[in-house]
Amino acid sequence: MTKSLDESLSYFKDKISDCIKSKKSISVTTHIDCDGLTSGSIITKALIRAGANCTVRTSKEFSKNVVESFKTDSRDFHIVTDLGGGFASELDSTLGDNWIVLDHHQIPDKEMDNQNVINAWKYGMDGGVEICAGGMAYLASMSLDEKNSDLSAIAIVSALGDRQDQGERKSFTGKNFEIANTAKEQGLVDIDLDLLLVGRETRPLPDALAFTSQPFIEGLTWNRDACLSLLNSSGIKLKDGGRWRVPAELNEEEKRQVIESISKFTAGKNATEIMSELIGYTYTFPREDNRSFLRDGREFSTMLNSCGRINRSGVGMAICMGDRNKILREGETILTDYRKMIREYMSILSNERWRISESETCIMVNGEDIVPETMTGTISSLIAGSPKNSGKIVILRTKGEENTIKFSSRKSFGCNSDINLSEIMRTGAEKFDGIGGGHNAAAGAKITKDKLDEFLNYLEVNVVNVSSPTSSK
C-alpha cells in the first residue's frame, strides 16, 4: 500500500540518518536542466548541513547504462532527483534498498507502491504544475531539518524553470504556492504583478522586449529596431544618463505606456492572448544585487538551463549552492552564448520550411543536424510558445548520441487535446526498445535511428491524425 507523503519523508529522513551515523557515503545524481540542477543542489546542501559525506553529479538522461554505472560506484547510497521514473525495478536489482528517487514525472503504476520512489503523483499532487523535483527535494530537505526552509528560494527557481507558473497571471498553485509563500514570509522573495519581459533586471528595454519570445510577438520578437521604435513612440525615458534602463526600473505609469503601445501594435486575433501572457507575477530575490541576472527568478532559471544545455552543469550547480564570485561571470557568459544559439537554431528552422509539417492539430519539426539533443526541450517549448501555433501539439526531433533520435513534445498555449504526451512517448518508445516519458503537456523520447520510420508512423496514428475534441480558440 502506498504510504502518505509524511510517511515517505520520514522514511527518507531515517535512511539519511542511518547513512550519516554509519558513515556511509551518498551520491546524488540529477538532471542537467534547471529543475535538475536546483533539486540536486537543494538536497546536496541539506545533506552537507546534516553532516553527510556526499557528492553530486549530473546526467542528461536516465538509462540502464546509468543504473549499471552505480554497480561500480564506490558510494554506498544513491539519491536520484528529477530522473529515474520507470527504473525502480532496475535500481532494486542493482542497489538493493540503497537508493531513493525524488521526482515529479508521471510513473508507471507498478512503481506506485515502491517505498524508495518518492514521487509527487503518488501523493495526489500534479507533478506537471503543482510541484517539480526542486519542490520534492525541498520537502525532503525540510524532513531533515526545518532550518532548511531557506532553500525554498531555490525551489521557486526550479518551478519557474519547469514552467509550473500555470495559475492565473502566471502564479503558482498547489505545493509550489505554499513553498513560494514560505520564501516570501522569510523575506527571500518579492512577488509582484509586472511585465514579464526577458532580462527584467539586466537587459536594456529594447533588448528585453525583442528577446521576449513567450509570448512570441510577430514583428517585435527578435527585432530590436522595431522594439526601439515602439518604445520611443511610447514616450518613456529609455536611458538614465548614458546607461540604458532595464524593465525593473520602470514605474507604474511607464509600464502602462509600454502595455498600451504593445496592445496597439498587436491589435488582431492574438492580441488578448499576447497581453495575458505578458503581464503576470514576478519573483524577485531582494538579497541578490540590483541588475544581476540572479535577481529575477525566471532569468535565474534560464541561466541554469543554459548551463546544463551547453554542458556546463557544474557552473549552475555552484551558483545554486551559493557561489557568487568568479563563477557568476562564467554563468553570465554561458547565458549570452545560450541565447545566441537559440536565435540561430530558430532562424534556421523558420527559413528551412521543408523541416516543418503541419496538420490541423500537430506540428512536426525535423531539427536533425541543427538542434543539439540537449536543446530539444528548449526549442520545442519556443515553437509551442508562438501564438501562430496556439492550440497545437509540437513534436521536434533531432539526432542523439550513439545512432539515436531524440524527440521532444509540447502542448502549446490553448491546446485542449486529451492526449497525454507522457503516456504517448513512454508507450511508443518502449514499443520500439527506447525510453520515454514526462508530463501530460511536455514529454520526450529516445529511440535508435533504425526505428525512426516506425516511430513516426506510431506518432502519425496516435497524435498527428487525432482530431481535437473541439477546435481551439
Side-chain angles (χ1 to χ4, degrees), residues 172-417:
F172 288 134
T173 57
K175 275 287 177 197
N176 284 329
F177 180 78
E178 292 174 27
I179 294 168
N181 266 350
T182 297
K184 186 179 178 181
E185 283 164 12
Q186 296 198 9
L188 300 170
V189 69
D190 295 329
I191 304 173
D192 304 289
L193 266 180
D194 205 341
L195 278 168
L196 299 177
L197 296 179
V198 164
R200 275 180 63 244
E201 295 281 347
T202 59
R203 283 185 177 270
L205 282 160
D207 296 54
L209 182 53
F211 293 124
T212 296
S213 54
Q214 291 190 319
F216 188 97
I217 307 172
E218 206 76 54
L220 289 182
T221 298
W222 299 336
N223 188 340
R224 189 186 185 277
D225 291 343
C227 292
L228 180 58
S229 171
L230 178 134
L231 291 167
N232 274 326
S233 67
S234 74
I236 65 167
K237 187 175 138 197
L238 297 182
K239 286 189 174 183
D240 183 3
R243 178 182 67 78
W244 285 100
R245 296 174 73 207
V246 299
E249 294 173 319
L250 295 176
N251 62 36
E252 293 307 312
E253 176 55 25
E254 289 172 320
K255 287 173 195 170
R256 192 190 59 74
Q257 288 169 264
V258 171
I259 291 165
E260 213 168 86
S261 298
I262 296 172
S263 296
K264 283 178 190 168
F265 186 91
T266 58
K269 60 173 185 160
N270 292 117
T272 310
E273 281 171 27
I274 286 169
M275 294 322 293
S276 69
E277 286 268 290
L278 205 54
I279 300 162
Y281 285 100
T282 57
Y283 301 84
T284 307
F285 301 120
R287 297 184 186 185
E288 301 291 350
D289 291 342
N290 279 324
R291 300 174 63 81
S292 157
F293 62 86
L294 302 184
R295 195 173 164 86
D296 174 67
R298 289 184 179 86
E299 200 167 6
F300 195 150
S301 75
T302 303
M303 185 277 302
L304 292 178
N305 262 326
S306 67
C307 289
R309 299 304 180 191
I310 59 178
N311 302 317
R312 301 293 304 280
S313 301
V315 173
M317 191 74 74
I319 291 170
C320 285
M321 298 285 284
D323 197 323
R324 292 290 180 275
N325 298 315
K326 184 185 164 197
I327 209 92
L328 206 55
R329 286 195 296 279
E330 257 183 86
E332 201 160 0
T333 306
I334 290 167
L335 183 56
T336 304
D337 292 347
Y338 173 72
R339 283 178 168 152
K340 188 179 169 193
M341 287 161 74
I342 288 173
R343 288 199 300 279
E344 284 172 11
Y345 303 146
M346 291 296 283
S347 174
I348 294 168
L349 292 175
S350 61
N351 288 331
E352 298 183 3
R353 296 298 299 170
W354 62 269
R355 291 179 174 276
I356 299 169
S357 61
E358 288 189 52
S359 72
E360 183 196 343
T361 56
C362 185
I363 297 166
M364 299 288 287
V365 184
N366 177 352
E368 291 184 36
D369 300 316
I370 302 295
V371 182
E373 68 168 313
T374 53
M375 292 187 61
T376 52
T378 302
I379 301 302
S380 60
S381 292
L382 282 173
I383 296 168
S386 170
K388 65 181 178 186
N389 299 329
S390 162
K392 297 193 174 188
I393 289 171
V394 172
I395 301 176
L396 167 74
R397 77 172 191 266
T398 197
K399 285 179 181 172
E401 289 176 351
E402 298 170 359
N403 229 20
T404 57
I405 300 289
K406 173 88 179 282
F407 283 82
S408 178
S409 60
R410 298 287 185 270
K411 286 184 181 177
S412 67
F413 182 81
C415 178
N416 54 13
S417 169

